[in-house]
Amino acid sequence: MHCSSPKMVCETKIVADEHDAIPGTKKESMMWSSPASSVALNPAEGKDVRKDAVFIREFERGDQAEVRRIFYEGIMERIPNTAFRGIKQQPKTQFLYALLTVMCFFVTKSVTLTCCAPLILMGARYYYSRKVIHTYLDCALHTDMADIEAYYMRPTGSCFWVAVLDGRVVGIVAAQGHEEDNTVELRRMSVDSRYRGKGIAKALGRRVLEYAIRNNYTAVVLGTTAVKLAAHKLYESLGFRRTGQSEDYRLPGMSRSPLERLFFQIRHSRYRLQLREE
């Protein structure tokens, strides 16, 4: 399978939970404790660091395996979310599936088959969700997530950070600058599911905003197909405002066949945080 550059097709995928506010940030790196503590911690004060303190630093080569694991697990969560939770946001699809169920009864005259029709339709949604997202994941893991140093650490205007707790990488986020419109894109944000609810996602987002301000970008942008409302509340709490939404979004690897169109729909939202006047 041929995958284009992630600048072209591998869109931002964000998995995040709604969090409480966290302490402020520092210029180069940040360390803080969970929301129960309101004291920002200095990386130099190692002996005083609480066990639940989280440190955000730039990506290092040794982080590659854990970063890929967190990204992979975060994307895999999107399969049931897209297949089952996502249908709540698709009234037209709900109506179509109801119509197909009624047609099944009129064609077959079988109550048993008609009762099975919704299960068959949801099974097909899960199958196509898994198929499309696996293809997208394969694309990402063979492009930017295969060589983070080359895609994010070496190019000017881009960077990749990890959140570390007790010496373990528990969260990731990337920033990718776009010279044509002087914006920076927030990409690849994900937090290990075992460590959510500690303000890590919000802190990672703030790290990107801090980076954009220091480098004189006009705005921070992101695109997401997140289904969970909590993810969208997270962006809004950081100051982002929704600038557009598409109901006919195409992920890398989608064939757009009639069956795929019937059983896989995804909503793409665009967000922007204006930092200064253009």
Side-chain angles (χ1 to χ4, degrees):
M1 181 190 66
H2 174 72
C3 290
S4 302
S5 164
K7 291 184 178 181
M8 298 296 294
V9 296
C10 292
E11 298 293 337
T12 305
K13 285 286 161 283
I14 298 178
V15 181
D17 288 336
E18 184 177 5
H19 305 299
D20 296 328
I22 61 168
T25 63
K26 292 192 174 184
K27 184 173 182 179
E28 295 301 331
S29 60
M30 299 187 298
M31 183 175 284
W32 72 96
S33 54
S34 61
S37 170
S38 61
V39 181
L41 301 176
N42 191 318
E45 299 172 350
K47 63 181 180 180
D48 297 324
V49 173
R50 290 167 52 106
K51 189 175 181 179
D52 60 351
V54 180
F55 176 55
I56 294 182
R57 60 168 172 78
E58 291 187 359
F59 170 85
E60 298 173 358
R61 184 171 298 179
D63 302 326
Q64 183 76 26
E66 280 296 282
V67 166
R68 284 168 62 91
R69 177 190 65 80
I70 292 172
F71 175 74
Y72 177 86
E73 291 176 358
I75 295 300
M76 289 297 289
E77 289 180 14
R78 305 186 72 81
I79 295 174
N81 284 341
T82 303
F84 306 131
R85 194 187 295 257
I87 198 171
K88 297 178 181 178
Q89 304 172 353
Q90 300 159 2
K92 291 182 180 179
T93 301
Q94 293 176 31
F95 175 78
L96 178 60
Y97 289 179
L99 182 62
L100 289 174
T101 301
V102 172
M103 288 176 61
C104 176
F105 176 76
F106 281 106
V107 171
T108 66
K109 304 298 182 183
S110 170
V111 175
T112 301
L113 285 177
T114 302
C115 290
C116 289
L119 297 178
I120 295 172
L121 291 170
M122 296 309 294
R125 281 183 66 88
Y126 182 84
Y127 170 80
Y128 279 97
S129 177
R130 183 178 179 85
K131 176 178 178 290
V132 172
I133 290 175
H134 264 287
T135 304
Y136 165 78
L137 188 57
D138 183 67
C139 175
L141 291 175
H142 285 84
T143 50
D144 63 314
M145 297 305 289
D147 194 345
I148 291 169
E149 286 188 314
Y151 276 85
Y152 295 110
M153 303 307 294
R154 294 174 192 159
T156 302
S158 296
C159 195
F160 198 103
W161 297 272
V162 298
V164 180
L165 177 64
D166 287 337
R168 183 184 183 89
V169 175
V170 297
I172 61 175
V173 73
Q176 187 173 52
H178 299 290
E179 293 183 1
E180 61 273 16
D181 57 0
N182 195 36
T183 63
V184 64
E185 181 183 3
L186 186 155
R187 310 186 76 229
R188 304 307 191 201
M189 193 200 302
S190 187
V191 175
D192 190 316
S193 60
R194 295 168 294 180
Y195 298 93
R196 293 176 189 165
K198 297 179 180 292
I200 297 172
K202 180 172 283 188
L204 287 167
R206 287 180 176 175
R207 189 66 184 87
V208 174
L209 302 187
E210 181 188 65
Y211 175 84
I213 292 170
R214 290 207 324 267
N215 289 277
N216 298 314
Y217 283 102
T218 301
V220 181
V221 298
L222 66 87
T224 180
T225 56
V227 174
K228 290 184 177 180
L229 181 61
H232 296 271
K233 287 185 177 180
L234 170 66
Y235 315 141
E236 292 169 0
S237 73
L238 287 167
F240 285 91
R241 294 292 177 265
R242 186 177 295 175
T243 59
Q245 189 168 271
S246 172
E247 301 289 345
D248 192 33
Y249 184 67
R250 181 170 182 171
L251 281 175
M254 289 182 67
S255 66
R256 306 298 288 172
S257 66
L259 284 177
E260 192 173 89
R261 285 174 174 269
L262 179 62
F263 295 115
F264 184 85
Q265 303 89 25
I266 198 164
R267 176 183 294 175
H268 182 260
S269 298
R270 297 182 298 278
Y271 283 87
R272 182 183 183 95
L273 194 163
Q274 195 71 27
L275 299 174
R276 58 189 177 85
E277 294 299 324
E278 300 186 55

